[in-house]
Amino acid sequence: MAKTNWRRIGLVATILFVPGGFLLGASMAARRMRKDAPEPEAPDAPPSDGEPPALG
């Protein structure tokens, strides 16, 4: 088997069999979800006609 397969097997075994492994699995899942989430778009600026907004 490839080296990456053995690493995945070891990681899954750690998460399933080591006490507290669920914390490791949850943190890894959260990190992956944040990485895969799309970047929020910047809000559009209101159209400007070149004059400052009126106060009051």
Side-chain angles (χ1 to χ4, degrees), residues 2-19:
K3 195 176 200 177
T4 57
N5 288 339
W6 284 112
R7 286 183 181 172
R8 287 182 183 164
I9 291 170
L11 179 62
V12 168
T14 301
I15 291 171
L16 293 177
F17 300 122
V18 174

Side-chain angles (χ1 to χ4, degrees), residues 31-45:
R31 190 172 77 181
R32 183 173 183 125
M33 286 176 51
R34 270 188 254 122
K35 185 177 84 170
D36 292 342
E39 292 289 324
E41 294 182 15
D44 292 334

